[in-house]
Amino acid sequence: ALMGTSGSGKSSLVQLIKGIIKPTNGMIQIIGDNNITTKEIGLVFQNNEDQFIGNNLREEIEYYNIKFDLDRVKNILNDIGLNETYIDMDISKLSSGELRKLALASILVLDPKVIILDEPSIGIDSESKRKLIKLIKRLKNKYNKTIIIVSHDSEFIYESSDYIFILDKGNLVHQSPKYKLFKNSNLLIKYGLKVPNLVSIVDIINKKKNLDLEYRNDINDLVKDIYRYAR
């Protein structure tokens, strides 16, 4: 995940990675086991209207000159909480949440090696967020995709990410595994980011009860930990 407040440079960085804009100096280097071209990087824009070339998902897929596999497209739509009626639905008729999901579907159809999600939690309800987090984890673990999430939504990042970078005023100011960062909540506050609720709860309990509870992604797991200590 790439975190930072508005204006920290997050969107500019991912556009550089995708090759939408070129660096004024220096270079962009992607290091991995295999060479990755910009065509193998899928970017879901923050402003989804800017992403679509066609008027609907079918036209979007046809533009990229790939075979239209109806069953595969239906499965992708189902994964993100939409049905097959959205294949031919005019994007101008969609809500912001629906458009965000359809934009993600259009990228998943292309099957890129790297998927960048720019502020993916904006405009969707809590249930859709949970489904999106499950989808992100499935793409990473089952399909071996590299997922880069760009967001200032600490709650969403906490539940979905493994490793976090923080940008501030165009500079990289922190990078570490997720739990190492969230153990230092003052660092989040320093750079204008919200401390996730589950982290705050654990910090309060550990301080008041002199315990050593671990950070959990799921509230139910945290309740079980507290119950074990209470016994």
Side-chain angles (χ1 to χ4, degrees), residues 113-143:
K113 293 180 179 178
V114 177
I115 299 172
I116 303 174
L117 307 174
D118 194 357
E119 297 289 358
S121 62
I122 289 179
I124 60 176
D125 58 35
S126 57
E127 178 61 26
S128 296
K129 282 187 183 183
R130 283 193 289 271
K131 289 182 179 179
L132 179 55
I133 289 168
K134 287 182 179 179
L135 175 60
I136 289 168
K137 290 179 178 179
R138 185 161 65 252
L139 288 169
K140 181 177 75 72
N141 297 323
K142 184 177 179 179
Y143 298 103

Side-chain angles (χ1 to χ4, degrees), residues 17-206:
I17 294 172
K18 173 60 181 171
I20 295 172
I21 57 178
K22 302 297 181 183
T24 52
N25 58 66
M27 62 182 292
I28 300 296
Q29 186 176 15
I30 301 174
I31 301 173
D33 295 333
N34 301 303
N35 292 326
I36 297 176
T37 67
T38 55
K39 290 183 179 179
E40 296 169 307
I41 299 174
L43 171 60
V44 181
F45 285 46
Q46 180 176 345
N47 298 316
N48 301 121
E49 297 87 350
D50 298 339
Q51 181 170 328
F52 283 90
I53 298 170
N55 295 312
N56 54 50
L57 181 59
R58 187 185 299 273
E59 290 183 7
E60 193 75 7
I61 295 171
E62 290 173 350
Y63 172 81
Y64 288 103
N65 196 30
I66 62 174
K67 180 182 176 181
F68 189 93
D69 184 332
L70 179 59
D71 288 336
R72 181 167 176 271
V73 174
K74 286 165 63 175
N75 287 335
I76 289 172
L77 288 172
N78 183 65
D79 275 342
I80 60 175
L82 299 177
N83 58 49
E84 62 183 287
T85 62
Y86 284 86
I87 292 173
D88 295 300
M89 198 174 293
D90 188 336
I91 62 170
S92 66
K93 308 296 183 184
L94 302 179
S95 67
S96 59
E98 291 171 324
L99 186 60
R100 183 162 294 275
K101 292 178 184 179
L102 200 67
L104 176 56
S106 70
I107 294 299
L108 295 179
V109 169
L110 300 177
D111 196 27
K113 293 180 179 178
V114 177
I115 299 172
I116 303 174
L117 307 174
D118 194 357
E119 297 289 358
S121 62
I122 289 179
I124 60 176
D125 58 35
S126 57
E127 178 61 26
S128 296
K129 282 187 183 183
R130 283 193 289 271
K131 289 182 179 179
L132 179 55
I133 289 168
K134 287 182 179 179
L135 175 60
I136 289 168
K137 290 179 178 179
R138 185 161 65 252
L139 288 169
K140 181 177 75 72
N141 297 323
K142 184 177 179 179
Y143 298 103
N144 199 32
K145 302 293 184 186
T146 296
I147 314 291
I148 300 173
I149 301 172
V150 181
S151 181
H152 64 274
D153 184 342
S154 297
E155 302 288 352
F156 187 84
I157 293 297
Y158 183 69
E159 293 186 45
S160 61
S161 303
D162 302 311
Y163 200 92
I164 297 174
F165 298 84
I166 297 179
L167 289 183
D168 182 60
K169 299 176 183 176
N171 296 302
L172 177 63
V173 293
H174 180 83
Q175 63 180 86
S176 71
K178 172 175 67 177
Y179 290 118
K180 183 176 180 180
L181 167 63
F182 287 117
K183 281 182 180 178
N184 186 4
S185 54
N186 288 333
L187 191 62
L188 292 169
I189 296 169
K190 177 181 178 180
Y191 293 111
L193 300 168
K194 181 181 179 294
V195 179
N197 291 331
L198 280 180
V199 172
S200 295
I201 291 170
V202 171
D203 286 344
I204 291 170
I205 293 173
N206 283 342

